[in-house]
């Protein structure tokens, strides 16, 4: 009896304490498991998982729920809350109406004691520049220095605002350096367009941060508009133009952009975007944006190869800074990762200057200022292209540009409207809206309390349409929309304050008034522009594919959809671009512009010339094919919401009740109260 009692006492004795579970970011790396969910809820609790595979049904798109006791999975311990980090500046909790002695929650409200236990919510943490998922007990914004509504002071805001724009310098200024020479513009006209782009980018950023999504997102010329702009520039009717070719084509571009942007504004402000967003998910966004970057493969390195010793150095320096030196910090800033583009540009430019001064690109009896057609010597004509692209002293843009110039609307003349070009731009504006949907969701997870409502999303798309109308009136050659690179920049700089972005936009406007700034940028050698674009387009492709982290990337359904979308986005446009061109064709455009002259030789031939132009042009655009294939397959092939990674947006009623969400997205100056009845463009 005594033996049995002792055995019972031994069996009831408290077990030794279990080891403390490792943070998800540690055990996930060791086990190779990382849940991929979109939205704010996660069906699993974090714990010491050793064999995670049986708990996830990838094909069914759901998590096998283990047996639970009192809301806690057996074998797991309830998560241990981590106390909030100390305030670094004026934090959102000070203005959300939450008592300081109340229990904080992830939604910005005090948690009621009588509420039943809730499942852990999924949050995100930044690792090497992109957000990855962690659990509720890990602070969601612990990686951010300043969040959406923080006010750290004028000096920090100014420093971080300028840093934010410098890190995105390539996205802001490289597109004019491509399209203006393609239109036959001079270095002076390139300088004027660059200054105009900087001015419009600053103005539209202020409009978007104040009256759009209210997220700290820079607006500017997007690469989404580059391929359609080049297709319009190389239209058959413009090939024979000689005098004032630049202004004539620019006015055609302005008209097309204005009509397409007005369509985008209607899409947002009529609430149609709230309905369309139900069809747009990560499996659609990822291949569409990736196709934008991949579509320029025929332009990038072929132009770099014309002066390989400079172009290759430009690419290598950008790669070394952004990858091998990315973790080196100076005064708490990862300068090589943040400033990879401007630093790489400065170093390569200095290297090219040394080569030019050393006489590497000087040929006896040859003058770079004499056109190739007027050169008598065959020796000079042979080396003319190399001198023009490699030398750094061929541009007179810096010397000829004025010190002060104010960009004004209709500076190139009255826009010209043609329905066929406008219809192409309407489709492009739809693609740019898809890009913005992914950017809104990803950036809100980094800086805001919750994702925006569908009304806020529609409002953001509407203001982007109006911003692009302004870009068309001022004549930038492209629309002005949310740049995809915003997500990477916010994650790297750890700056999520919209005040910093607003102050940086004001700085950009002032900078645009200095004509010498535009002249300096316009004097960047063409081969260095191509090298930077190779790096930027590769980044854009990766940022597009990174949207798959919100879905089950290992699902065979998603793998096949993304694979088909990317393959056909390259193959179908190649068919249209190569149709009717023989190997011996004598084309009037350089080889790297040949994919954009499809309107003159595409396979679609009907008695309606305008319809032929629209269809041949649209089906030659990689992003259009990727979007069509992805959106059709993703919305017709069966799949659960978890497997598809369906974007979860905040509910309007919940957002109105939560002070944190309301303060994040409400319009300033009580404007939202006036239009409260318009439910599809606000909270």
């Amino acid at each position: 009896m005594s033996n049995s009692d002792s055995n019972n006492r031994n069996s009831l004795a408290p077990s030794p304490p279990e080891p403390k579970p490792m943070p998800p970011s540690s055990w996930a790396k060791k086990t190779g498991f990382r849940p991929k969910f979109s939205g704010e809820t996660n069906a699993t609790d974090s714990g010491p998982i050793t064999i995670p595979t049986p708990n996830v049904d990838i094909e069914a798109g759901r998590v096998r729920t283990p047996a639970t006791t009192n809301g806690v999975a057996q074998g797991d311990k309830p998560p241990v809350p981590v106390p909030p980090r100390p305030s670094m500046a004026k934090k959102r909790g000070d203005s959300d109406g939450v008592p300081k002695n109340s229990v904080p929650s992830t939604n910005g409200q005090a948690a009621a004691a009588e509420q039943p236990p809730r499942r852990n919510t999924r949050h995100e943490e930044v690792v090497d520049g992109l957000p990855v998922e962690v659990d509720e007990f890990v602070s969601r914004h612990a990686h951010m220095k300043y969040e959406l509504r923080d006010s750290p002071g004028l000096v920090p805001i100014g420093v971080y605002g300028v840093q934010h724009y410098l890190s995105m310098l390539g996205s802001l200024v490289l597109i004019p350096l491509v399209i203006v020479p393609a239109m036959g513009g001079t270095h002076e006209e390139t300088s004027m367009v660059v200054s105009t782009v900087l001015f419009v980018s600053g103005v539209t950023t202020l409009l978007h941060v104040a009256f759009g999504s209210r997220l700290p997102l820079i607006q500017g010329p997007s690469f989404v508009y580059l391929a359609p702009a080049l297709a319009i520039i190389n239209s058959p009717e413009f090939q024979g133009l000689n005098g004032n070719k630049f202004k004539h084509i620019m006015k055609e571009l302005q008209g097309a952009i204005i009509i397409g942007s007005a369509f985008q504004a209607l899409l947002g402000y009529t609430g149609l975007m709230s309905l369309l967003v139900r069809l747009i998910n990560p499996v659609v966004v990822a291949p569409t944006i990736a196709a934008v970057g991949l579509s320029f493969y025929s332009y990038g390195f072929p132009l770099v190869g014309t002066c390989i010793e400079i172009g290759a150095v430009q690419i290598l320096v950008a790669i070394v800074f952004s990858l091998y030196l990315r973790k080196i910090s100076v005064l708490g800033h990862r300068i090589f990762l943040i400033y990879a583009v401007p630093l790489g540009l400065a170093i390569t430019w200095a290297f090219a200057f040394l080569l030019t001064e050393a006489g590497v690109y000087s040929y006896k009896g040859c003058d770079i200022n004499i056109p190739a057609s007027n050169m008598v010597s065959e020796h000079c004509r042979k080396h003319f292209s190399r001198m023009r692209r490699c030398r750094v002293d061929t541009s007179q843009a810096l010397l000829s540009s004025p010190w002060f110039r104010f960009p004004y609307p209709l500076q190139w003349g009255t826009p010209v409207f043609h329905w066929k070009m406008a219809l192409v731009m309407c489709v492009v504006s739809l693609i740019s809206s898809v890009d913005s949907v992914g950017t809104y969701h990803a950036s809100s997870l980094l800086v805001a309390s919750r994702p925006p409502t569908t009304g806020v999303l529609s409002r953001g798309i509407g203001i982007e349409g109006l911003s692009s109308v302004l870009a068309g009136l001022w004549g930038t050659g492209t629309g002005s929309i949310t740049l995809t690179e915003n997500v990477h920049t916010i994650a790297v700089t750890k700056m999520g304050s919209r005040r910093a972005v607003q102050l940086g936009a004001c700085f950009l406007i002032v900078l645009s008034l200095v004509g010498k700034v535009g002249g300096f940028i316009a004097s960047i050698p063409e081969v260095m522009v191509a090298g930077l674009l190779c790096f930027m387009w590769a980044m854009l492709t990766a940022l597009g594919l990174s949207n798959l982290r919100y879905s089950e990337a290992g699902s065979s359904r998603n793998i096949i959809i993304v694979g088909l979308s990317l393959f056909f986005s390259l193959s179908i446009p190649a068919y249209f671009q190569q149709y009717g061109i023989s190997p011996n064709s004598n084309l009037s455009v350089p080889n790297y512009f040949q994919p954009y002259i499809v309107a003159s030789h595409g396979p679609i031939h009907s008695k309606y010339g305008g319809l032929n132009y629209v269809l041949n042009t649209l089906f030659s655009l990689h992003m259009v094919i990727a979007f069509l294939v992805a959106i059709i397959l993703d919305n017709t092939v069966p799949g659960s919401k978890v497997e598809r990674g369906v974007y979860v947006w905040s509910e309007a009623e919940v957002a109105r009740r939560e002070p944190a969400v309301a303060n994040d997205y409400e319009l300033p100056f009580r404007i939202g109260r006036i239009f409260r009845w318009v439910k599809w463009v606000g909270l």
Side-chain angles (χ1 to χ4, degrees), residues 109-444:
Q109 288 181 311
E114 64 274 13
Q115 290 181 347
R118 293 170 22 178
R119 293 182 298 177
N120 290 344
T121 56
R122 181 189 64 79
H123 302 307
E124 297 205 347
E125 182 180 82
V126 165
V127 177
D128 286 340
L130 288 176
V132 295
E133 299 147 346
V134 298
D135 286 333
E136 183 178 21
F137 62 87
V138 179
S139 176
R140 176 177 185 172
H141 303 291
H143 61 277
M144 299 297 294
K145 291 180 180 177
Y146 300 108
E147 300 172 20
L148 186 61
R149 288 180 282 112
D150 290 348
S151 301
L154 184 61
V155 174
I157 282 180
V159 172
Y160 281 106
V162 173
Q163 169 188 275
H164 209 75
Y165 281 85
L166 284 177
S167 64
M168 298 184 67
L169 180 66
S171 303
L172 292 172
V173 303
L174 291 182
I175 289 182
L177 302 185
V178 175
I179 64 173
V180 176
M183 288 188 281
T186 62
H187 293 294
E188 291 77 12
E189 289 166 333
T190 303
S191 170
M192 296 167 65
V193 174
V194 169
S195 297
T196 304
V197 165
L198 296 178
F199 178 82
V200 172
S201 178
V203 172
T204 55
T205 299
L206 290 176
L207 288 175
H208 187 87
V209 175
F211 306 109
S213 70
R214 305 228 66 202
L215 293 168
L217 302 176
I218 296 175
Q219 310 295 294
S222 172
F223 289 117
V224 173
Y225 281 87
L226 180 55
L230 290 175
I232 292 176
I233 290 170
N234 291 283
S235 297
E237 53 264 43
F238 302 146
Q239 295 302 317
L241 294 178
N242 292 320
N244 292 327
K245 179 180 179 181
F246 165 75
K247 289 187 176 181
H248 185 86
I249 298 178
M250 177 61 83
K251 290 186 290 186
E252 297 276 356
L253 270 178
Q254 287 181 262
I257 291 170
I258 290 173
I259 298 298
S261 303
F263 169 76
Q264 185 179 20
L266 288 175
L267 197 66
Y269 285 125
T270 58
L272 291 176
M273 197 64 203
S274 299
L275 303 176
L276 183 62
V277 75
R278 301 175 185 177
L279 306 177
I280 301 173
N281 297 305
V283 181
V284 177
V285 174
T288 302
I289 304 309
V292 175
L294 292 174
S295 62
F296 299 105
Y297 68 91
S298 63
Y299 180 92
F301 205 83
L303 196 55
V304 170
T306 59
C307 191
I308 190 68
E309 64 271 19
I310 294 178
V313 169
Q314 178 70 82
I315 296 174
L316 290 176
V317 169
I319 291 175
V320 169
F321 283 173
S322 60
L323 292 177
Y324 294 98
L325 304 181
R326 72 185 189 279
K327 293 187 177 181
I328 297 179
S329 290
V330 177
L331 300 177
H333 299 272
R334 294 186 178 183
I335 59 171
F336 294 107
L337 180 59
I338 296 174
Y339 305 117
V341 170
L343 284 178
L345 178 63
I347 292 175
T348 309
W349 209 339
F351 174 69
F353 176 79
L354 293 177
L355 293 181
T356 302
E357 291 299 313
V360 175
Y361 308 118
S362 298
Y363 299 93
K364 186 176 181 180
C366 301
D367 187 357
I368 188 61
N369 297 317
I370 300 177
S373 57
N374 296 338
M375 289 184 176
V376 178
S377 172
E378 181 66 25
H379 170 74
C380 292
R381 285 198 298 268
K382 177 181 177 182
H383 295 288
F384 176 79
S385 176
R386 184 170 176 82
M387 289 191 297
R388 183 171 64 87
R389 290 195 170 96
C390 298
R391 296 181 66 93
V392 298
D393 57 355
T394 58
S395 174
Q396 302 297 322
L398 182 60
L399 296 177
S400 61
S401 57
W403 277 102
F404 175 82
R405 180 182 181 275
F406 185 81
Y408 56 92
L410 306 181
Q411 57 188 331
W412 313 117
T414 305
V416 178
F417 300 93
H418 284 105
W419 71 269
K420 59 181 183 180
M421 298 177 185
L423 193 57
V424 170
M425 280 300 177
C426 287
V427 177
V428 173
S429 67
L430 179 61
I431 303 295
S432 71
S433 300
V434 174
D435 182 6
S436 297
V437 168
T439 305
Y440 290 174
H441 186 269
S443 59
S444 66

